Amino acid sequence: MSRVLAVAAGLLLTPPLASAQATAAQGVADPRITALVASVSPERLQATATKLASFGTRSTLSDTVSTTRGIGAARRWIYDEFKRASPKLQVAFDRHMLARQGRITREVELVNVVAILPGRSARRIYISGHYDAVNPRGNAPNNPGAGAGAAGGDAQMRAEMDHNADAPGANDDGSGTALTMELARAFANSGLEFDATLVFVTWAGEEQGLLGAMVHAQTLAAAKGTVTANFNNDIVGSSLGGNGIIDAESVRIYSLGPEDSMNRSLARYIARVAGVYVPSHTIRLMAREDRFGRGSDHSSFTAFDFPAVVFREANENYQRQHNTEDKPEGMDFRYLAQNTRVNAAAAASLALAPAAPKVTTGGGTPTISRGTTGYDAALQWEASPGAAGYRVYWRNTWSNDWERSQYVGNVTRFLLPNVSIDDYVFGVAAVNAEGHESLVSAYVSPNRRMQEVQIKK
């Protein structure tokens, strides 16, 4: 039988930290993660992004035979680099034959490059970026001005588009690809044994509609895979915006709502952990799925209810996107290294932690009630494998981040006397014996379904 812990409403203060409570989410660093974060190299990131740009183009429909140019040469090089990074990585091509559709103007084999670092459990944490590039501006024969949205229409929809024209894609998204490859090396050589399985993926087909991530995610969903998080990175390597403003001290993280979705829980988690391991870097949480009217591969994960966010540099230069000007010379590799370190800290903390507790019944009903008095907050959750205890969070309903928390020990029920579930939002996270904390699972009030009133005519 589960033990129940009740705390008087007047004593809802966080107690002194014990070993099972000392989490990065609560401001305490793990020296092993500190070492992993410190291992990120701006020089390796620069060398990787420069090599990716040297393939000339990485368009999804570009050359696959050449050993020096096109997407085929690029993906083989990425594969070899993953293999070279560590024998612990299980490296594979994730292949899918696509029919003609949309911007895919002919049948093509789409190939994601995947490196898996097995953990103690099958649940997955993804770190990703897309390695394909595109130049729809200035390379469509007979219509040199026809980029996406131009008067001539979408150049990628034209069968005559030259997919082998120069598209270096150093920042979009050589930056996210370099970050992913650097972290595959760093995690595999960290000496850490993770609870979650880490999956490092460079996607293809992003520029044609998030196709590589989408086919991967839909396959994963069909197999009933478990995903704790997707850290997606798309355009994260330049500190100089097209407006001349330099910002090398912050990064934007976009997450799909509502505010108590696991996407938002992941975003909040990243901000808290980054404050411990990369305190000089400001995390700007953005309350929307992505930039206005634009998207990236994380949306393929949220489409199947897998928690995901996307990292974006603080201030983009639109004049260096989707054209021949997206070169390594326009990047800031110390800034890219900071964004890589934020990914590393949050992903490592999350991968070492247990899975987030389940706070609903099999039918999806939140396991929260008003207790026997009608005026208390009575919380219940399922035990998470590997958890040594749990931390309960709560906040005002109009606030968008947690305001209080209480470590409650190794119980699966908790009672807050005289704290109304009508006035506060509650959540719970699992904590292991080393102090690593999961995402917070929030108790979400279901929307009331209304039925139209039948009117006699």
Side-chain angles (χ1 to χ4, degrees), residues 140-153:
N142 305 319
N143 194 7

Side-chain angles (χ1 to χ4, degrees), residues 158-457:
R158 294 170 173 264
E160 69 270 22
M161 176 173 166
D162 181 6
H163 295 282
N164 289 304
D166 285 350
N171 196 24
D172 182 14
D173 184 33
S175 61
T177 300
L179 180 156
T180 299
M181 295 172 68
E182 174 69 357
L183 290 188
R185 181 204 60 78
F187 274 70
N189 292 292
S190 67
L192 289 167
E193 183 180 357
F194 297 99
D195 183 76
T197 291
L198 275 298
V199 184
F200 304 90
V201 186
T202 61
W203 308 113
E206 192 272 351
E207 300 291 6
Q208 288 73 45
L210 321 182
L211 301 180
M214 190 64 180
V215 69
H216 183 94
Q218 70 189 42
T219 302
L220 188 63
K224 301 188 183 303
T226 300
V227 177
T228 292
N230 171 215
F231 293 73
N232 190 49
N233 293 267
D234 193 353
I235 311 178
V236 289
S238 176
S239 59
L240 175 61
N243 54 9
I245 295 174
I246 296 174
D247 185 345
E249 286 78 41
S250 75
V251 65
R252 296 175 292 174
I253 297 178
Y254 288 87
S255 58
L256 180 65
E259 62 189 5
D260 285 309
S261 67
M262 293 305 284
N263 310 308
R264 294 281 168 85
S265 182
L266 175 58
R268 296 184 189 107
Y269 186 95
I270 294 168
R272 290 200 301 274
V273 172
V276 175
Y277 293 101
V278 198
S280 63
H281 214 52
T282 299
I283 308 303
R284 295 165 53 197
L285 299 184
M286 314 300 286
R288 55 172 40 141
E289 185 173 14
D290 206 337
R291 301 158 303 167
F292 200 95
R294 300 184 70 179
S296 189
D297 293 304
H298 65 299
S299 296
S300 300
F301 279 71
T302 59
F304 295 96
D305 294 325
F306 296 139
V309 298
V310 65
F311 288 73
R312 298 284 191 185
E313 63 194 25
N315 188 24
E316 295 177 60
N317 187 335
Y318 303 118
Q319 284 71 49
R320 287 182 172 171
Q321 294 178 10
H322 299 172
N323 56 37
T324 58
E325 298 307 309
D326 188 1
K327 300 175 181 178
E329 292 79 5
M331 298 174 67
D332 177 347
F333 293 99
R334 292 191 179 277
Y335 175 67
L336 175 56
Q338 286 291 79
N339 293 334
T340 306
R341 292 175 184 126
V342 171
N343 274 260
S349 297
L350 195 55
L352 288 166
K358 184 178 179 181
V359 295
T360 60
T361 65
T365 302
T367 50
I368 185 172
S369 72
R370 295 179 174 83
T372 57
T373 69
Y375 297 94
D376 305 330
L379 316 180
Q380 188 172 344
W381 56 88
E382 288 187 14
S384 294
Y390 299 87
R391 181 175 292 277
V392 168
Y393 287 84
W394 66 100
R395 69 172 193 268
N396 260 297
T397 57
W398 197 248
S399 299
N400 63 2
D401 202 357
W402 303 111
E403 298 168 329
R404 295 184 179 182
S405 70
Q406 176 75 33
Y407 181 76
V408 300
N410 193 15
V411 297
T412 55
R413 296 181 183 180
F414 184 64
L415 183 71
L416 290 164
N418 295 313
V419 182
S420 173
I421 66 174
D422 299 321
D423 298 343
Y424 296 90
V425 179
F426 300 90
V428 61
V431 186
N432 68 9
E434 295 177 320
H436 296 291
E437 185 171 322
S438 74
L439 298 183
V440 179
S441 297
Y443 295 87
V444 178
S445 177
N447 292 329
R448 186 185 182 111
R449 293 190 175 183
M450 303 298 293
Q451 292 184 342
E452 291 186 10
V453 176
Q454 300 299 311
I455 300 173
K456 184 177 181 180
K457 297 182 180 179

